[in-house]
Amino acid sequence: MQLPTPVLRPPFNITRASHVVLTAADLTASRRFYEQVIGLVLTAEADGTLYYRGIEEACHHSLVLHQAGGAPACRRIGLRMLGDEDLEVAFASFRQQGCAPAWVEVPFQGRTLHVTDPVGTPLEFCARMPVAPRQITNFASHRGGCAQRIDHCQILVPQVPRALDFYSAMGFRLSEYIATDDDQLRGVFLQRKGNPHDIVFFHGAGPRLHHTAFFTPEAQHLLKACDVAGSLGYGRTVERGPGRHGPGHAMFVYFRDPDGHRIELFNTHYQAIDIENEPVRWDVKDPNVSFPWGLPAQRRWFEEATAFEGVAIKEAEPKPKPMTLERFLADQAERK
Amino acid sequence: MQLPTPVLRPPFNITRASHVVLTAADLTASRRFYEQVIGLVLTAEADGTLYYRGIEEACHHSLVLHQAGGAPACRRIGLRMLGDEDLEVAFASFRQQGCAPAWVEVPFQGRTLHVTDPVGTPLEFCARMPVAPRQITNFASHRGGCAQRIDHCQILVPQVPRALDFYSAMGFRLSEYIATDDDQLRGVFLQRKGNPHDIVFFHGAGPRLHHTAFFTPEAQHLLKACDVAGSLGYGRTVERGPGRHGPGHAMFVYFRDPDGHRIELFNTHYQAIDIENEPVRWDVKDPNVSFPWGLPAQRRWFEEATAFEGVAIKEAEPKPKPMTLERFLADQAERK
Amino acid sequence: MQLPTPVLRPPFNITRASHVVLTAADLTASRRFYEQVIGLVLTAEADGTLYYRGIEEACHHSLVLHQAGGAPACRRIGLRMLGDEDLEVAFASFRQQGCAPAWVEVPFQGRTLHVTDPVGTPLEFCARMPVAPRQITNFASHRGGCAQRIDHCQILVPQVPRALDFYSAMGFRLSEYIATDDDQLRGVFLQRKGNPHDIVFFHGAGPRLHHTAFFTPEAQHLLKACDVAGSLGYGRTVERGPGRHGPGHAMFVYFRDPDGHRIELFNTHYQAIDIENEPVRWDVKDPNVSFPWGLPAQRRWFEEATAFEGVAIKEAEPKPKPMTLERFLADQAERK
Amino acid sequence: MQLPTPVLRPPFNITRASHVVLTAADLTASRRFYEQVIGLVLTAEADGTLYYRGIEEACHHSLVLHQAGGAPACRRIGLRMLGDEDLEVAFASFRQQGCAPAWVEVPFQGRTLHVTDPVGTPLEFCARMPVAPRQITNFASHRGGCAQRIDHCQILVPQVPRALDFYSAMGFRLSEYIATDDDQLRGVFLQRKGNPHDIVFFHGAGPRLHHTAFFTPEAQHLLKACDVAGSLGYGRTVERGPGRHGPGHAMFVYFRDPDGHRIELFNTHYQAIDIENEPVRWDVKDPNVSFPWGLPAQRRWFEEATAFEGVAIKEAEPKPKPMTLERFLADQAERK
């Protein structure tokens, strides 16, 4: 199967997944969920906006919630560049590629560049944020899932190969991927920061934000998040897990926040720095890809996702036919 | 609701759940599963029989697997009495109650008494077993779920109140129970050993053994058992969980062994010794009873169970209508 | 070695370690320590007294702190009996043995019996307390070490054999013990509740309360308690551990509370119900008894303890010569 | 305090700590320790040499043990470069700096460059190794501490500022450092891979290898390593911990391998990619630097280290006067 050649010395240096910008109908409800269940740290509340960061993060925010009515939406996926000079170089490159780059002012961020990638994802890049003290050793303050830092976003798009090409050219490296027997890409895990993913694209109607993932220190924190969710009346927000991923190898749990945005907590990344490691290929038909043990995800986990504000959604061709929990149970009943 | 008065000074002293005796079609397959995934310790293999104990157990066995063809079955539920003199007193009592007591010889057990309880469960009582060194500090040998000791059995029967009366009269105390709005008992958690349960009865076609539960030290061991299951090809044997119980408060995971017998691993019991604590009543309709967070158990978890060898199964009236995973997903799809 | 014959059917039924009553100079300081670091739940504050219970405990209190000046002291070790009728039978027995039994009124306890055991320990027995909801599933409220329930007290006395005889006659069973080559008892672990200890006596100047132990669900909670201690300025109160016990097999950590009372958090008990298990003998010279790995406890852990209010302290003969951390380091330096 | 300006775009790309090469007197003893206690995976045994990697590592080795008599020694500290072209650029740079670069053949490594840094540390750089399957999801095979990957080496040298200058110029970034009131550097944590350290230099007689650190997934694995050590007769090899670091924030435990080489297991790194974070300064006198809770390290932890083969050791000026456990206990005794 033909995969892009890794670009090891890209012209500008994207360093990592940085933040996501979501809308929320009721910030009070959001606060209770994100602070008690997920365990994020509130850096600032200003102008109808909540700025959160993980317990280890010194940067100002990795999750931004704007109070807004209407359908819940994602406004931007944020990525970091190393320095402002990288932004400059990137601007030119994006203009050349027709990505409509624009310099914008964003509170609590350094110079910020807005771009739309070829599959329609609204991105924003910056290289600096104000810093706040890491709370990682403020143990008495840790709550729920102790979300430590943002790790990655997963996005559904109808054109996975196009996303792969675009991000590969910017220096993203492919750690793992999922493909059909006839080499149709169904999922790509792309990374800059040295472990398996910063941004992930899966085949589906899109572009839509499937989930935002925060890293937690240990599996116990996944369980704690679930237990706190249950005891605070958020028991039904646990949409999937705890379980073990095939690709990426992490233990995970997926929540739906009060607006329905999907949040993953997971742990146990491996390091992905060396270039002699080939991307790992997973067979889309192998149940161990979706669920090495236990049960697969329910249909809504596969199908529901957050729209990007003002971005039209295109259907995927062919339509995804994942092994949903519903199908798994029906197959099992039939076999009996 | 009228519950039996606790019998605090019963005429004979049953101390705890002791062991279960199951049939197995292929002892090699059973060994791999129980030693690698569940983490039990093989005390002896003799005459087509495997004798297992938990890593902390000094007694000879808490799980007995007899090689046997035909439908998988449970032969006996074992309970411990304190001393042989308790067995003597019990014999007379059981005869008076028409439980057909009989003295039998059982390998690796002291004097043993066979009895059938009024709901048809074949029991065996003994007061002594040979001892073997506890393996609890033999850390290098611990595997999979590190099953520490047997904790309880759960049995499906059509007449839960009758079971409650019988076991209460023997000094079992009711820690928690599940009832309908019109006070029909649907589940009773009965205990002798000072924490929530030694034997549990739930409403359903029976008598059938729903599951045997082993205590594990920590939640991490539940996860480890699942992960080992997945890596050894037993991923589909994880039937339910990991999740959190409402009643009993424990974190759990349910496996199906190679013969389909259901094994629970769970942790975090509370102590139940004081008599001023009333039994806790749970509402059968409350979803938090079955699943404080996440998804309910699939139908087969509710409906499938192990028959007792040679014991006829009676239907339950009314037929149980639990909130199964299948029903939950259908209801959810409908609401949309 | 001659050990007392277990009394399996004692005339009255002591069920478990119940509570300790300590003095505290500054209740504000005590609250911060016990609630944040140890994770106990405040049931009531009344008349200069704090009443705490563990997160799983329904009984009113397992730790009582009386505001009092002067040297920190322990006022009583509390033990539970099953019912009030046990107290009646016990009264007569204690009077016969010259233990000066007296009925007293104690807030938030049923009828209470004060007794002094033959080695000078001031005990109190009761069979009932008011109940409060267990907090075990109130996950959002859990803090620090999540102390789940009281487990045992350890007491230093010059006459360990005399304590063993007295408690054995009341039905306490010896789970483990430590003895010299010439069969001098140096420590006895005595239990009623079905796991290794409710009350422990070690050879030393006394009677003095060496420590009170609370059970925690998992090893992670021991570490969390230490980390919270460190982040709140209590880092120097971690006197020993985390480490692994030889006897009892638990993982532990010892704290000194703001008044210097020693509190142990530990996990992973084994069950000790069957009578065919002989008490385990440990060799006083074996380093694995005190420290299966790592370093031994510092001298003050061995030597410092809380006096019982108004009770004279007698020296131990011979004086204990434990392998202290100080001695271990000196020996090691010498060997080099 | 004057610190080097970070070199964000160095001429060649060192990516991470790669491996260490140690001598061992008895490979059988080494195997038992590293496989059972530390939990490393043996990739190959050839020509009197053991090649180990962590459970997540795909690269051939991160620990190399050469059978050799005489005093235990470290032969090389291995660092990775991104590609072979980086090695070429580096060669020229090292020659210019007088680091005696030399191309060498090393089994199971790509082209390898030997260099001696200005403080005397024998380094080796390579950009490729053969790969082997990651064992991270082979859960049934995990043992002891489940060492996941090499993380960093710590080296004692008399000239910390000189090391800082040299490594900073190569693009290493300073995450944290320890300094005296008069700005004398006592420790520098230097990193390339995006978390706090790849190589650490502390003030002391040197150059000597203080320890090699492997990352473990969770704190439970540190405890498991200790417990396995204890149960296999390695209890005295636990030299320090488990405890919590001030700098770096990780939980740790230090072992001494059968040859006396010091191995750290630790967990919970934070991400250190953004450039707006200033290096964190720690006060050398603050006890929370060495031990946020509990007791400080014993003297031998500070003073003993592994010599580099054939490299002369220079005394440090001034001589380090750390707060050792011995001094802490003496001070405490005096205060009483």
Side-chain angles (χ1 to χ4, degrees), chain A residues 9 80 86 218-219 276, chain D residues 9 56 80 86 218-219 276:
Chain A
R9 284 154 178 92
R80 272 291 190 112
D86 292 291
E218 307 205 343
E276 68 264 43
Chain D
R9 283 151 180 91
E56 74 154 59
R80 270 292 188 113
D86 292 292
E218 308 206 342
E276 67 264 41

Side-chain angles (χ1 to χ4, degrees), chain B residues 9 80 86 218-219 276, chain C residues 9 80 86 218-219 271 276:
Chain B
R9 283 149 180 93
R80 269 294 187 111
D86 292 291
E218 308 205 341
E276 68 265 39
Chain C
R9 283 148 180 97
R80 272 289 190 113
D86 292 292
E218 307 205 342
Q271 202 167 260
E276 68 263 40

Side-chain angles (χ1 to χ4, degrees), chain A residues 19 71 83 117 152 160 176 190 214 221 236 299 314 327:
Chain A
H19 59 280
D117 76 14
H152 67 271
V160 170
E176 309 193 6
L190 291 156
F214 288 88
H221 298 105
R236 297 293 80 75
R299 183 161 48 216
K314 291 181 202 132
R327 205 177 119 198

Side-chain angles (χ1 to χ4, degrees), chain C residues 172-212:
Chain C
F172 280 80
R173 284 166 57 192
L174 185 65
S175 56
E176 309 193 4
Y177 63 100
I178 295 173
T180 60
D181 284 349
D182 59 341
D183 285 352
Q184 301 300 308
L185 280 172
R186 289 295 175 250
V188 292
F189 300 83
L190 291 155
Q191 64 96 2
R192 284 290 302 162
K193 71 180 174 306
N195 53 38
H197 26 285
D198 287 291
I199 195 161
V200 176
F201 291 92
F202 260 77
H203 180 69
R208 294 180 299 156
L209 174 62
H210 185 267
H211 69 263
T212 304

Side-chain angles (χ1 to χ4, degrees), chain D residues 1-272:
Chain D
M1 172 162 199
Q2 190 66 25
L3 295 169
T5 307
V7 175
L8 298 178
R9 283 151 180 91
F12 49 92
N13 189 352
I14 298 171
T15 55
R16 62 174 183 93
S18 168
H19 59 278
V20 289
V21 184
L22 305 174
T23 65
D26 172 358
L27 294 189
T28 305
S30 297
R31 285 194 63 158
R32 190 157 180 266
F33 176 79
Y34 281 105
E35 295 175 23
Q36 297 280 329
V37 176
I38 303 301
L40 289 171
V41 177
L42 184 69
T43 308
E45 175 161 16
D47 300 322
T49 302
L50 301 172
Y51 296 89
Y52 281 107
R53 67 190 202 278
I55 60 168
E56 74 154 59
E57 290 180 314
C59 61
H60 187 272
H61 53 264
S62 51
L63 174 68
V64 179
L65 298 172
H66 289 300
Q67 202 284 324
C74 175
R75 291 188 172 167
R76 290 277 158 184
I77 302 294
L79 296 166
R80 270 292 188 113
M81 295 212 190
L82 185 63
D84 283 347
E85 58 279 30
D86 292 292
L87 291 168
E88 294 286 352
V89 178
F91 184 93
S93 169
F94 289 133
R95 188 156 52 184
Q96 198 174 4
Q97 297 180 73
C99 295
W103 297 109
V104 294
E105 292 290 318
V106 177
F108 306 112
Q109 290 179 198
R111 202 177 183 192
T112 298
L113 181 57
H114 275 186
V115 169
T116 298
D117 77 13
V119 290
T121 319
L123 304 174
E124 81 180 20
F125 294 90
C126 69
R128 281 173 293 118
M129 285 188 190
V131 294
R134 299 183 194 270
Q135 297 299 301
I136 191 168
T137 58
N138 188 359
F139 294 101
S141 75
H142 295 174
R143 279 180 293 189
C146 291
Q148 202 168 322
R149 60 173 177 264
I150 193 170
D151 186 80
H152 66 269
C153 292
Q154 182 167 319
I155 296 166
L156 299 178
V157 292
Q159 314 119 303
V160 170
R162 198 158 167 196
L164 173 61
D165 287 344
F166 177 76
Y167 286 87
S168 294
M170 289 195 293
F172 281 80
R173 285 167 56 192
L174 185 64
S175 55
E176 310 193 6
Y177 63 101
I178 296 174
T180 61
D181 284 348
D182 60 340
D183 284 354
Q184 300 301 306
L185 279 173
R186 291 294 176 251
V188 294
F189 300 83
L190 291 156
Q191 65 97 359
R192 283 292 301 161
K193 73 181 172 305
N195 54 36
H197 26 284
D198 286 292
I199 194 161
V200 177
F201 290 92
F202 260 75
H203 179 71
R208 292 180 300 157
L209 172 62
H210 185 266
H211 69 261
T212 305
F214 289 87
F215 182 86
T216 62
E218 308 206 342
Q220 49 150 306
H221 300 104
L222 305 180
L223 303 178
K224 180 73 181 283
C226 293
D227 281 333
V228 170
S231 71
L232 294 182
Y234 291 112
R236 298 293 80 74
T237 72
V238 179
E239 188 186 42
R240 183 186 174 192
R244 174 73 66 180
H245 280 307
H249 304 326
M251 187 152 278
F252 64 82
V253 62
Y254 291 89
F255 293 90
R256 298 294 286 270
D257 86 355
D259 291 280
H261 303 302
R262 188 178 289 108
I263 300 292
E264 180 186 15
L265 293 178
F266 79 104
N267 75 340
T268 329
H269 252 329
Y270 64 90
Q271 202 166 259

Side-chain angles (χ1 to χ4, degrees), chain A residues 11 48-49 77 93 100 108 117 135 170 179 195 241 263 276:
Chain A
T49 302
I77 301 294
S93 169
F108 307 113
D117 76 14
Q135 298 298 302
M170 290 196 293
N195 53 39
I263 300 292
E276 68 264 43

Side-chain angles (χ1 to χ4, degrees), chain B residues 8-9 13 15-17 56-60 80 82-86 127-132 134 136-137 139 148-151 173 193-195 215 217-220 244-246 249 267-277 280, chain C residues 8-9 13 15-17 56-60 80 82-86 127-132 134 136-137 139 148-151 173 193-195 215 217-220 244-246 249 267-277 280:
Chain B
L8 298 177
R9 283 149 180 93
N13 190 351
T15 54
R16 64 175 183 92
E56 73 155 57
E57 291 180 313
C59 61
H60 187 272
R80 269 294 187 111
L82 185 62
D84 283 347
E85 58 280 28
D86 292 291
R128 279 172 294 118
M129 285 187 187
V131 295
R134 299 182 193 270
I136 193 167
T137 57
F139 294 101
Q148 203 168 324
R149 62 173 177 264
I150 194 170
D151 186 79
R173 286 167 56 190
K193 72 179 172 309
N195 54 37
F215 183 87
E218 308 205 341
Q220 49 149 305
R244 174 71 66 179
H245 281 306
H249 305 327
N267 75 339
T268 329
H269 252 330
Y270 64 89
Q271 199 165 263
I273 295 174
D274 308 338
I275 60 176
E276 68 265 39
N277 293 304
V280 177
Chain C
L8 298 178
R9 283 148 180 97
N13 188 352
T15 54
R16 65 177 183 89
E56 72 153 60
E57 291 180 313
C59 61
H60 187 271
R80 272 289 190 113
L82 184 63
D84 283 349
E85 59 279 30
D86 292 292
R128 280 173 295 118
M129 285 188 187
V131 294
R134 298 181 194 271
I136 192 167
T137 58
F139 295 100
Q148 202 168 322
R149 61 174 179 265
I150 192 169
D151 186 79
R173 284 166 57 192
K193 71 180 174 306
N195 53 38
F215 183 86
E218 307 205 342
Q220 48 151 303
R244 174 72 64 180
H245 280 307
H249 305 325
N267 76 340
T268 328
H269 251 332
Y270 65 90
Q271 202 167 260
I273 294 176
D274 308 337
I275 60 176
E276 68 263 40
N277 294 304
V280 177

